[in-house]
Amino acid sequence: MTEYVTIQGDTWDLISFKVFGNERYMLNLIEANPQYHNIVVFPANIKLIIPEIQIPISNRLPPWKRGG
């Protein structure tokens, strides 16, 4: 299980961007951490569970950006 420890000022979309490289996965984070669903701006030192998700690789990206 992967965890993320918040820093003061983190938000769901910012954490999603830091962890997954895109804000669109913030709902996955909220679903994995329902006890914090009402927090908009996090204080420091909250441990969040980072769910495992499949991030699609676009064929439109050049090969050096596909990770392969």
Side-chain angles (χ1 to χ4, degrees):
M1 173 173 44
T2 305
E3 289 185 344
Y4 175 86
V5 179
T6 63
I7 60 171
Q8 177 68 40
D10 271 343
T11 58
W12 289 110
D13 58 337
L14 181 60
I15 296 167
S16 177
F17 185 79
K18 287 180 182 179
V19 173
F20 300 116
N22 197 310
E23 298 91 349
R24 79 173 83 173
Y25 301 108
M26 67 180 258
L27 290 178
N28 300 79
L29 290 171
I30 294 169
E31 289 172 358
N33 300 279
Q35 68 275 33
Y36 301 117
H37 77 278
N38 60 340
I39 295 179
V40 176
V41 179
F42 282 91
N45 299 317
I46 301 291
K47 289 184 181 178
L48 299 176
I49 296 169
I50 303 300
E52 220 174 282
I53 59 172
Q54 291 292 337
I55 300 175
I57 298 173
S58 173
N59 289 334
R60 297 171 54 189
L61 293 175
W64 62 88
K65 286 197 171 187
R66 289 186 216 155

